[in-house]
Amino acid sequence: MISEKTFIKYYSSFWNQLLPGIDHYVRMINSGLKERHYTPITYEGEDIPSRRALINGISFKLFYHFYEQKTNPRDMKSLVDKNIDLIKELQFSEAERMEILDNSDNFKDELTNTELDIVIKLAHRLLSFSNGKQDFEIYPKFQGCGLLFECTGDIRLGKTLVEIKAGNGNITKYDLYQLLIYGALNSVSNEPYDIQRFYLFNIRTGVEWNEGIETVCEIIAGESSAEIYSEIINYITNNYTSI
């Protein structure tokens, strides 16, 4: 069995055949359908690309910690300043996870002041995004099926599935593949969520996009979500070729 990220990365022929209109739609998103919610977070010099995955992981864990504590976003920075050991604990936890995935020891170095500032800003944007929202679930689970292990999304907000991104680039087709995989697994879950919209929020660039799932599926494949989900499920249970 494999993760959803491996399925996205190594099964391009399947995705290209399933979603012939996706490249055009992604261009539409990046040329006008996305909206800017925040100014981009940019630093010269110390913002090292190879450490961004670590920084992004720590920021999400920090957000989750303060969300669970029901922290008001305006109080978050002062609470971090009073408990810097919390950042160290989160970095240790995330670095262990990243080392397993990346086979690298580049994640153990202590965060620089710039990296710490980025972590806090990213976490604050997430906490502000969650503030006051109802039916807000972090880490929604989607049971495994066929080729795929159980998957965990970022956020479910009512009937909207939200994925958080924190790279410097545009929205990509791989982001949409990820949402569609979660939608497909949800469709065959024992207790499925009622998910009707997809939402991508890049907390680093400040850009967000959301759209009804049926509209997305019609544009990228000329099919309903049920048809696309069925084809994904059929492939991962019956017709896949192992890498």
Side-chain angles (χ1 to χ4, degrees):
M1 296 179 74
I2 61 173
S3 71
E4 77 276 22
K5 292 178 175 60
T6 299
F7 184 40
I8 289 168
K9 184 175 181 179
Y10 292 105
Y11 291 78
S12 57
S13 59
F14 165 74
W15 292 111
N16 291 337
Q17 183 175 358
L18 178 65
L19 310 172
I22 195 164
D23 289 324
H24 173 69
Y25 186 55
V26 168
R27 287 193 294 271
M28 288 172 58
I29 292 174
N30 288 314
S31 63
L33 295 180
K34 66 184 181 182
E35 298 180 357
R36 184 165 301 285
H37 192 69
Y38 292 105
T39 57
I41 296 173
T42 57
Y43 289 85
E44 294 295 330
E46 287 189 60
D47 184 15
I48 304 171
S50 63
R51 299 256 294 175
R52 282 182 193 152
L54 173 68
I55 291 168
N56 299 341
I58 297 170
S59 67
F60 200 92
K61 288 179 182 294
L62 184 63
F63 151 65
Y64 184 68
H65 169 83
F66 284 117
Y67 176 82
E68 289 288 284
Q69 298 293 319
K70 303 187 186 309
T71 302
N72 189 301
R74 67 171 175 263
D75 299 327
M76 196 195 86
K77 177 64 165 62
S78 63
L79 291 172
V80 172
D81 291 341
K82 293 175 183 176
N83 186 13
I84 199 65
D85 286 342
L86 171 63
I87 298 291
K88 294 179 180 179
E89 291 171 10
L90 296 178
Q91 179 180 358
F92 179 80
S93 170
E94 186 64 15
E96 282 195 326
R97 187 184 74 86
M98 292 297 300
E99 285 167 18
I100 293 171
L101 295 175
D102 195 75
N103 193 28
S104 170
D105 60 0
N106 184 42
F107 308 113
K108 290 182 177 179
D109 295 338
E110 187 172 337
L111 294 180
T112 66
N113 289 335
T114 295
E115 290 174 332
L116 178 60
D117 190 49
I118 294 171
V119 164
I120 294 171
K121 286 181 177 179
L122 295 177
H124 185 269
R125 288 183 174 185
L126 284 168
L127 195 62
S128 298
F129 174 72
S130 70
N131 192 40
K133 289 184 170 64
Q134 302 298 315
D135 198 13
F136 189 93
E137 178 184 1
I138 302 173
Y139 298 133
K141 287 189 171 70
F142 305 101
Q143 67 186 50
C145 178
L147 176 66
L148 296 182
F149 286 117
E150 179 180 273
C151 303
T152 302
D154 288 333
I155 294 166
R156 181 189 58 81
L157 175 57
K159 297 181 180 181
T160 300
L161 184 59
V162 183
E163 279 301 296
I164 303 301
K165 302 300 173 182
N168 279 338
N170 284 324
I171 290 170
T172 72
K173 62 184 178 181
Y174 306 108
D175 300 327
L176 297 183
Y177 293 165
Q178 186 176 13
L179 289 166
L180 288 166
I181 289 171
Y182 295 156
L185 292 177
N186 180 66
S187 72
V188 293
S189 295
N190 294 328
E191 298 181 3
Y193 301 111
D194 180 10
I195 297 174
Q196 298 183 12
R197 296 186 72 83
F198 287 152
Y199 191 130
L200 291 169
F201 181 21
N202 188 312
I203 53 176
R204 184 182 287 261
T205 64
V207 165
E208 60 183 7
W209 162 86
N210 78 91
E211 184 59 86
I213 295 174
E214 295 309 323
T215 298
V216 174
C217 292
E218 176 61 32
I219 293 173
I220 64 178
E223 296 182 345
S224 68
S225 64
E227 291 172 306
I228 292 177
Y229 293 164
S230 177
E231 292 181 65
I232 293 172
I233 295 301
N234 180 63
Y235 187 82
I236 64 177
T237 54
N238 298 310
N239 301 315
Y240 66 86
T241 301
S242 180
I243 58 172

